[in-house]
Amino acid sequence: MTIITRFAPSPTGLLHIGGARTALYNYLYAKRNKGIFKLRIEDTDKERSNSKFSEDIFSSMKWLGINWDQDVIYQSKNISYHINLVQRLLKEGKAYRCYCTKEEIEEARDKAKKEKKPYKYNRKWRDFEGKLEIPYVVRIKIPLHKKTILKDKILGEVVIENNELEDFIILRSDNTPTYMLSVVADDKLMEVTDVIRGDDHLTNTFKQLILFSLLDWQPPRYSHIPLIHSQEGSKLSKRHGDLSVKQYKENSFLPAALINYLLRLGWGHGDKEFFSLDEAVSLFSLEGVGKSPAKFDEKKLNHINTFYFKKLNLNELLKIISSNYKTENYNKNLIEQLLLIFQERSENIKDFLNGIEYMLSVKEINLSEQALAIIKNTQKNILDLIITNLKNIENWNSINIESIIKDIAKKENLKLFSIASPIRAAVTGKNHSPSIFKILELLGKENTLKRLKKAF
Ligand code: GLU
């Protein structure tokens, strides 16, 4: 039997890292078993759904490399099929019309709240056999005095007494099906064999198992992944907006790093820390998923991101840099040296771009406060000496530059640092940089002198 998994997000917000992890596990499980990974957009809640969020889900998944098979399925397109199922369940006596008014339900809810009891619908209309010409919702007739058993591939066996479940709604008074019914109908329609999702869906799963059984359908296998918690221990939710995949993309994180981090957030394979997506496909198993919630650790994510950043090759670095600067204006050899020097000094792409900016930007460089202070604290005659001596260098390379700067220091009886730091301040605008001799060589004589004159 072909394994079919699905990722079924509701387009009500940006793709969050929790959702991305669910998508990843479904993708890996399908690919590991040579199966099919489908994407279904659960857009039946018209008020909260927005196509801009579906677009975000698509682009974030593509960016991460979690590619789905076949066309995207939109749940809203299947609504008439879902409504037909409601009619079938009504006809078979497995569901019933409930004529309670909103006010009645509200009142019962308030009462439960006052008594500090959980609210549960009282099954008032369950045995009513007639039909009234007033608005109604359709509720499922939970088979009472029975148990529902979930054989979860991660949590093991979980059992619930059906009496604990309320007769949940499957059709609203405006004739729209609810999530509970639509999910079951679509999972069946899409021939999903395995549902892998967050354990916040556990109660839904029992209701869905009951629906499968009332419809005489074979349910899929379920695997519930423990949710991701924040460092403080609370559940991560869509409200933690800065944890969207989009935000990480905009902050120049590498997709391979995010994938690796999400994979390890709840799954392990011995002590192995780093996995490419292909490796993950060949090693992934649901047995490796932990039973307790994983803690989101930004530091660890940064560490993994640095690992992948350091592994970028010249072509990849060039691609990053050329989307920000006109690299064709530079000598190829020079640009390659620059990329390697700055990669070594940086932790991530942001750092790298910040560092390299003063080398490639055609705009005038800004001097930091520290840089200005360094120049201000250097004697005027030293600044003049620097310019005259550098001007005299005929063969502009780091070795000659170094020896000239050392000469000045020696003649003036100063430490090398006292000469190098005003130069660094003037040409980079900062108080730290890679080897200043190399920087001057790569910047070129003309550019160096221009910056020195301007700053001094
Ligand atoms: N649409 C649901 C959500 O975004 C997921 C449904 C499911 O995985 O069954 O939480």
Side-chain angles (χ1 to χ4, degrees):
M1 190 177 58
T2 309
I3 295 286
I4 301 179
T5 64
R6 52 46 163 200
F7 176 47
S10 310
T12 53
L14 297 175
L15 182 64
H16 185 258
I17 53 145
R21 185 185 63 157
T22 302
L24 175 66
Y25 284 12
N26 277 284
Y27 169 86
L28 293 175
Y29 188 69
K31 297 296 144 185
R32 170 82 184 100
N33 292 291
K34 311 231 169 323
I36 301 170
F37 168 59
K38 300 186 180 183
L39 175 59
R40 177 173 79 224
I41 297 292
E42 304 212 313
D43 56 347
T44 45
D45 183 342
K46 285 280 165 249
E47 252 161 53
R48 294 176 59 227
S49 298
N50 191 320
S51 62
K52 76 170 187 221
F53 294 130
S54 308
E55 291 306 322
D56 173 75
I57 293 166
F58 304 150
S59 59
S60 296
M61 285 175 70
K62 282 187 198 153
W63 178 71
L64 286 169
I66 307 176
N67 296 315
W68 57 94
D69 299 306
Q70 308 174 353
D71 292 340
V72 176
I73 292 135
Y74 290 88
Q75 190 154 61
S76 57
K77 296 214 170 122
N78 296 339
I79 282 192
S80 53
Y81 169 65
H82 302 161
I83 295 174
N84 282 343
L85 288 176
V86 176
Q87 298 313 326
R88 183 187 140 191
L89 288 165
L90 275 173
K91 215 182 273 163
E92 293 176 1
K94 294 171 178 168
Y96 63 94
R97 294 183 183 84
C98 160
Y99 298 96
C100 287
T101 59
K102 269 201 185 106
E103 291 72 32
E104 230 180 315
I105 301 279
E106 235 16 85
E107 212 173 290
R109 249 205 200 112
D110 285 349
K111 188 163 174 266
K113 205 171 166 189
K114 268 186 209 137
E115 290 168 6
K116 296 203 164 62
K117 286 185 194 154
Y119 164 74
K120 209 164 82 193
Y121 169 65
N122 61 8
R123 314 193 207 268
K124 177 176 170 186
W125 294 89
R126 189 174 159 108
D127 300 315
F128 178 73
E129 294 195 348
K131 193 174 172 205
L132 306 178
E133 291 310 316
I134 51 170
Y136 61 85
V137 296
V138 176
R139 291 180 181 271
I140 211 73
K141 217 180 244 181
I142 294 274
L144 299 174
H145 314 299
K146 276 190 175 175
K147 289 180 191 336
T148 297
I149 302 170
L150 162 69
K151 291 199 167 96
D152 192 277
K153 292 189 78 175
I154 295 171
L155 304 178
E157 194 172 284
V158 193
V159 184
I160 195 167
E161 298 285 344
N162 286 2
N163 291 23
E164 286 176 25
L165 296 171
E166 79 166 357
D167 287 352
F168 58 91
I169 300 176
I170 53 173
L171 191 77
R172 299 184 191 92
S173 55
D174 62 1
N175 205 37
T176 56
T178 59
Y179 156 77
M180 212 59 77
L181 177 81
S182 300
V183 166
V184 167
D186 287 353
D187 282 342
K188 168 75 179 169
L189 204 61
M190 290 159 65
E191 301 179 309
V192 171
T193 59
D194 289 81
V195 169
I196 304 167
R197 59 186 177 191
D199 66 7
D200 49 336
H201 281 287
L202 200 57
T203 316
N204 292 340
T205 300
F206 288 106
K207 295 178 179 170
Q208 290 167 20
L209 279 171
I210 289 176
L211 269 174
F212 271 104
S213 142
L214 293 176
L215 289 159
D216 297 317
W217 291 341
Q218 172 77 24
R221 288 179 291 261
Y222 288 93
S223 306
H224 289 89
I225 326 165
L227 289 189
I228 304 171
H229 283 191
S230 70
Q231 279 300 316
E232 302 77 47
S234 65
K235 282 182 190 168
L236 279 197
S237 72
K238 281 188 188 172
R239 276 173 291 122
H240 293 83
D242 52 343
L243 295 179
S244 66
V245 173
K246 185 176 178 204
Q247 192 74 51
Y248 283 104
K249 184 178 173 203
E250 284 173 358
N251 282 333
S252 306
F253 273 73
L254 291 160
L258 207 54
I259 284 281
N260 197 142
Y261 180 69
L262 292 178
L263 173 70
R264 292 283 292 105
L265 197 59
W267 178 82
H269 185 79
D271 290 339
K272 195 170 155 60
E273 224 13 270
F274 298 105
F275 299 82
S276 68
L277 194 54
D278 284 346
E279 256 179 320
V281 166
S282 65
L283 296 173
F284 188 77
S285 70
L286 289 168
E287 287 71 43
V289 178
K291 282 195 175 69
S292 37
K295 268 201 179 160
F296 185 76
D297 184 347
E298 190 85 35
K299 263 199 208 136
K300 194 151 179 207
L301 172 55
N302 283 326
H303 168 72
I304 293 181
N305 193 49
T306 299
F307 171 83
Y308 282 95
F309 170 73
K310 297 281 186 195
K311 274 188 17 171
L312 292 179
N313 63 31
L314 261 177
N315 274 339
E316 289 163 325
L317 291 173
L318 202 57
K319 226 192 243 164
I320 292 167
I321 214 81
S322 53
S323 54
N324 291 273
Y325 299 102
K326 289 194 165 152
T327 43
E328 62 277 13
N329 292 350
Y330 294 85
N331 168 300
K332 189 161 175 277
N333 176 35
L334 172 124
I335 209 106
E336 284 182 4
Q337 289 189 58
L338 261 183
L339 298 181
L340 294 179
I341 293 174
F342 280 89
Q343 181 184 33
E344 194 175 320
R345 289 179 60 87
S346 314
E347 300 269 293
N348 52 48
I349 294 178
K350 251 191 165 171
D351 248 16
F352 175 68
L353 288 173
N354 270 339
I356 213 161
E357 196 194 355
Y358 58 80
M359 296 301 289
L360 297 177
S361 172
V362 283
K363 284 187 272 175
E364 239 172 53
I365 61 156
N366 289 323
L367 303 191
S368 68
E369 262 176 48
Q370 293 98 320
L372 284 169
I374 292 169
I375 297 170
K376 220 176 132 204
N377 292 333
T378 310
Q379 285 174 6
K380 174 85 173 67
N381 68 314
I382 301 289
L383 300 180
D384 290 343
L385 270 178
I386 291 173
I387 296 187
T388 353
N389 281 282
L390 289 179
K391 216 191 236 169
N392 287 339
I393 299 181
E394 273 185 18
N395 203 352
W396 189 260
N397 61 41
S398 58
I399 299 176
N400 290 347
I401 296 168
E402 183 173 355
S403 88
I404 290 291
I405 293 178
K406 280 186 173 160
D407 270 359
I408 307 176
K410 208 165 154 197
K411 277 191 203 136
E412 296 302 313
N413 209 10
L414 286 170
K415 289 213 170 84
L416 175 62
F417 175 79
S418 314
I419 311 294
S421 44
I423 300 178
R424 170 180 289 117
V427 301
T428 70
K430 299 176 196 279
N431 55 353
H432 53 87
S433 77
S435 151
I436 190 64
F437 315 122
K438 198 73 196 161
I439 288 293
L440 295 196
E441 175 189 315
L442 296 176
L443 200 58
K445 185 172 175 181
E446 196 186 323
N447 235 336
T448 300
L449 290 172
K450 207 159 95 191
R451 288 188 188 183
L452 289 176
K453 282 179 194 157
K454 175 102 190 28
F456 289 177

